[in-house]
Amino acid sequence: MALVGSPNSGKTTLFNALTGLRAKTGNYPGVTVTRYEGIAEVGAGGQVVLEDLPGTYSLVAISPDEQIVASVLDPADEGTATPEGLLVTLDATTMRRSLRLVAQVLRRGLPVCVVLTFTDELTRRQGRVDVAALRRALGVPVVAVVGGRRQQLADLRDLMADPSSWSRPVVPPPAEPEEVGAWIESVLGAAGYSAPQIDERTRRLDAVLLHPVWGTLVFFATMFAFFQIIFAVAAPAQAGIESVFAWLGDQARTRVGIDWLAAFIADGLIGGVGGVVVFLPQIALLFVLISLLEGIGYLARAAFLMDRVMARAGLEGRAFVALLSSFACAIPGIMATRTLPSTRDRIATMLGAPLMTCSARLPVYVLLIGLLVSPDTRVGPFGVQGLVMFALYLVGAISAMLTAWLFSRIGRSTGPALPFYMEMPPYRLPSLRSVALAVWDACRGFLSKVTRIILGTTIVLWLLLNLPAPSDDELRAAGVDPADTTAVATYTIDHSLAADIGHAVEPVFEPLGFDWRINVGVLASLSAREVFVATMGQVAAAQNPDDPADALATMRVQEGPRQGELLFTPPVLAALLVFFLYALQCMSTIAVLRRESGSWRWPVIAFGYLFALAWVMAALTRVVVAAVT
């Protein structure tokens, strides 16, 4: 069976309630852009495979995600299996518009059950509908479901047990637009439908939040407060996690009798992984805030405001929806480009999406901003650390839109503008459960990356940083006391395989002020951006196990024209921040680019142009910051 419905009609919420899964839901189109499958328990102890199709307003496909729905519902399409039954979600508050999709689905001739959603919202806003009369008017089963109420779901599960027994309309709905309009009016009249009144609370808020001036100011103020909160609230939890991992490292050094094994556990595993996990509070808080803004309905307003900006740049609102999805991760943002009808706009938006600041950059930003700006530095009541973070997110968003616009203009041909629908959902308080699940899924994904990608990379890095192991004679010849563990660790790292790799790429990164240690971190971050933090954590833990943070802040350049100077000076830190702002340091994103574009051409272009852009902008930033400091 398949779930069909327009965006924001409660389709994916129903899918989750029936299957027990946690597919992402959202209050704006473009959230569901792929096909999800799950097993739903139905009446008499049976099971059905339930498929959640992308949200669509029409079966006349103009974009790839709409084509998915049209293909699945077309019995003549031999490339896809036709469902044995369809559940069509019908938003009770927008029935006049939503019935057009119902009419198109009914004409496919498949067994259909209409699931009426948001009837509680309809009643609250003084609207009404007779469900039994609607069932007679449509000629198919109609079940009203509010959220995941068990009794209503039980009735629906009983129906799902045997779709072949569902009633069907004697005469299918008409196809001509004028006749469809008359059919809709007759259905609404027969069902005693009374449209809901305008939500007065929503109207008053939207008068401000959708205003081109006041709404934009509120948007930027919201984002500004967003990053102030991330630094202010997460700091105590971060300090607690740091102390836990420091204690674990001390335990490993004192209790493990084999020196090299103790160093591997303390510096490689605990120091490297702990250096990334310490940023979990910021990740959790980021997704708490995003989930709240999304659940309340504010992100749809933000997309509407930015649609005006995108229109001036020659892109449509769907492009901003895809870019908005990239704030958490570029991968869902790239997948959301399936809603774009134009292939050229899809490619252009894909190439811009990696510039949106994703959660993987957050640990890197927090580490570098912490080295660049003291937590006590303030401008009036605002912390400068939060100001810098806000600036990085803002520059990333502007760069993403400019890049998407630039690529969309290359060889662009003129054509008719295609419709873009953006619903403004009523403001609702999100459930605590939905916010908690969103945050848990994000934290679990972050920890999964730590245990899979980052842990594996950390082990490889530890080996590269500690091999070849110098002998005591070699240490004495170099003037190093073999009994001085810190001096031995420093010598070993400076003459390791990692140092050789870092020195090999120095001609590329030397103009940016990076030494071989930073170079190794940049190269390692190709597996995942967070690995840069793990690399610096290993280097710092080896040089000063008791206070790695101080080791990073006091680390000095060991050779070259800057020999003896602090490694992490303000110009170098600023250049690093800008480099990570622009560089495509994520192989998972490249893989998804390959899958969505259908060739390696665009991922190679994306990696190349973003690396060049990152290098140039980082070099310019270093020069400018050096001139003013």
Side-chain angles (χ1 to χ4, degrees):
M1 303 187 71
L3 263 169
V4 184
S6 60
N8 201 36
S9 65
K11 177 175 57 63
T12 302
T13 299
L14 178 63
F15 173 80
N16 290 339
L18 289 172
T19 63
L21 299 179
R22 294 205 295 267
K24 180 173 172 55
T25 60
N27 274 337
Y28 53 90
V31 174
T32 306
V33 290
T34 189
R35 297 161 64 179
Y36 293 98
E37 283 189 357
I39 302 297
E41 303 289 338
V42 297
Q47 292 182 329
V48 299
V49 176
L50 187 61
E51 186 174 14
D52 182 19
L53 297 175
T56 181
Y57 291 103
S58 171
L59 297 185
V60 181
I62 61 172
S63 62
D65 65 321
E66 293 176 348
Q67 185 59 54
I68 291 174
V69 184
S71 298
V72 171
L73 270 58
D74 185 359
D77 191 329
E78 299 179 355
T80 56
T82 304
E84 296 177 51
L86 302 176
L87 301 182
V88 182
T89 53
L90 177 61
D91 185 348
T93 64
T94 60
M95 280 181 59
R96 181 166 275 103
R97 188 209 64 212
S98 302
L99 279 170
R100 290 190 177 274
L101 176 62
V102 174
Q104 291 179 331
V105 173
L106 289 175
R107 288 201 301 272
R108 297 294 173 121
L110 298 170
V112 170
C113 174
V114 171
V115 182
L116 195 62
T117 59
F118 298 114
T119 52
D120 57 336
E121 184 78 22
L122 179 72
T123 302
R124 187 181 70 82
R125 291 164 55 188
Q126 287 78 53
R128 70 180 186 86
V129 63
D130 186 331
V131 177
L134 179 63
R135 185 182 303 118
R136 291 191 296 271
L138 292 175
V140 299
V142 177
V143 180
V145 173
V146 176
R149 293 182 183 175
R150 292 186 177 181
Q151 182 54 48
Q152 295 172 333
L153 286 178
D155 295 340
L156 179 58
R157 291 181 194 275
D158 289 340
L159 273 171
M160 293 169 63
D162 185 15
S164 63
S165 66
W166 294 351
S167 58
R168 303 195 188 193
V170 177
V171 178
E176 294 298 323
E178 298 81 4
E179 296 176 356
V180 172
W183 176 83
I184 291 173
E185 292 302 325
S186 69
V187 170
L188 294 176
Y193 181 70
S194 175
Q197 296 181 7
I198 295 175
D199 190 326
E200 189 60 27
R201 177 184 58 186
T202 297
R203 187 193 64 78
R204 289 197 301 268
L205 287 171
D206 281 348
V208 176
L209 297 182
L210 297 181
H211 191 276
V213 176
W214 300 117
T216 303
L217 290 176
V218 170
F219 174 72
F220 282 106
T222 301
M223 294 298 104
F224 181 83
F226 190 96
F227 299 111
Q228 290 290 322
I229 292 172
I230 283 179
F231 272 96
V233 176
Q238 184 178 0
I241 295 175
E242 282 180 339
S243 63
V244 169
F245 277 96
W247 178 82
L248 289 173
D250 291 340
Q251 294 298 307
R253 291 186 187 90
T254 56
R255 295 179 181 274
V256 178
I258 305 172
D259 291 343
W260 69 266
L261 183 59
F264 171 71
I265 295 174
D267 302 332
L269 297 182
I270 297 175
V273 174
V276 178
V277 175
V278 74
F279 298 104
L280 184 61
Q282 278 92 351
I283 298 290
L285 192 56
L286 173 71
F287 281 93
V288 166
L289 297 174
I290 288 177
S291 298
L292 287 174
L293 292 177
E294 184 179 65
I296 289 169
Y298 183 70
L299 286 191
R301 272 77 184 177
F304 176 80
L305 285 171
M306 293 299 104
D307 178 46
R308 297 167 179 160
V309 177
M310 301 299 286
R312 292 193 180 98
L315 292 169
E316 56 174 289
R318 292 179 185 86
F320 180 75
V321 170
L323 295 178
L324 185 68
S325 302
S326 301
F327 262 122
C329 178
I331 290 174
I334 292 170
M335 292 173 63
T337 60
R338 296 175 186 176
T339 62
L340 292 165
S342 164
T343 301
R344 188 171 302 280
D345 285 352
R346 273 201 307 277
I347 295 296
T349 309
M350 284 183 203
L351 296 178
L355 287 168
M356 299 295 285
T357 302
C358 61
S359 60
R361 287 184 173 97
L362 190 59
V364 180
Y365 284 175
V366 172
L367 172 70
L368 297 178
I369 291 173
L371 292 170
L372 179 64
V373 180
S374 169
D376 301 326
T377 307
R378 309 186 74 81
V379 175
F382 306 114
V384 175
Q385 289 186 334
L387 286 171
V388 175
M389 181 75 81
F390 173 71
L392 290 169
Y393 271 75
L394 181 62
V395 171
I398 293 173
S399 300
M401 288 188 281
L402 287 175
T403 300
W405 169 80
L406 179 63
F407 279 103
S408 72
R409 306 309 294 179
I410 298 174
R412 187 183 182 91
S413 59
T414 58
L418 294 169
F420 168 58
Y421 300 98
M422 172 61 73
E423 288 190 56
M424 295 296 108
Y427 293 97
R428 302 185 182 99
L429 285 176
S431 69
L432 181 61
R433 181 177 183 274
S434 64
V435 173
L437 286 176
V439 175
W440 166 246
D441 287 342
C443 292
R444 185 179 62 177
F446 176 72
L447 292 174
S448 174
K449 183 188 287 187
V450 167
T451 55
R452 291 184 296 108
I453 300 173
I454 297 176
L455 178 60
T457 308
T458 296
I459 293 172
V460 173
L461 279 171
W462 186 88
L463 293 173
L464 292 175
L465 287 166
N466 288 274
L467 294 178
S471 64
D472 289 351
D473 292 338
E474 183 181 348
L475 291 171
R476 293 189 186 94
V480 177
D481 182 3
D484 187 342
T485 56
T486 301
V488 171
T490 301
Y491 179 86
T492 302
I493 288 178
D494 290 344
H495 296 81
S496 63
L497 295 174
D500 294 339
I501 296 171
H503 286 302
V505 297
E506 270 187 341
V508 176
F509 294 107
E510 188 174 6
L512 308 183
F514 302 173
D515 84 332
W516 72 264
R517 290 164 289 190
I518 297 177
N519 297 344
V520 171
V522 169
L523 293 177
S525 69
L526 288 170
S527 60
R529 290 184 177 95
E530 301 95 329
V531 175
F532 176 82
V533 177
T535 306
M536 294 296 102
Q538 285 198 46
V539 172
Q543 295 191 358
N544 187 351
D546 297 326
D547 194 350
D550 181 67
L552 279 178
T554 58
M555 203 173 287
R556 296 187 178 274
V557 181
Q558 298 164 333
E559 57 190 10
R562 291 184 57 218
Q563 184 174 1
E565 297 180 13
L566 286 174
L567 173 59
F568 290 108
T569 61
V572 172
L573 288 168
L576 259 175
L577 283 168
V578 171
F579 183 85
F580 275 99
L581 170 67
Y582 287 107
L584 181 50
Q585 301 292 102
C586 180
M587 292 298 104
S588 298
T589 300
I590 292 174
V592 172
L593 270 172
R594 161 67 181 84
R595 186 184 69 194
E596 295 297 313
S597 65
S599 74
W600 280 108
R601 174 188 177 192
W602 295 111
V604 170
I605 290 175
F607 183 84
Y609 100 82
L610 286 172
F611 180 83
L613 181 63
W615 194 95
V616 171
M617 296 302 292
L620 289 174
T621 300
R622 184 194 177 202
V623 171
V624 171
V625 174
V628 298
T629 56

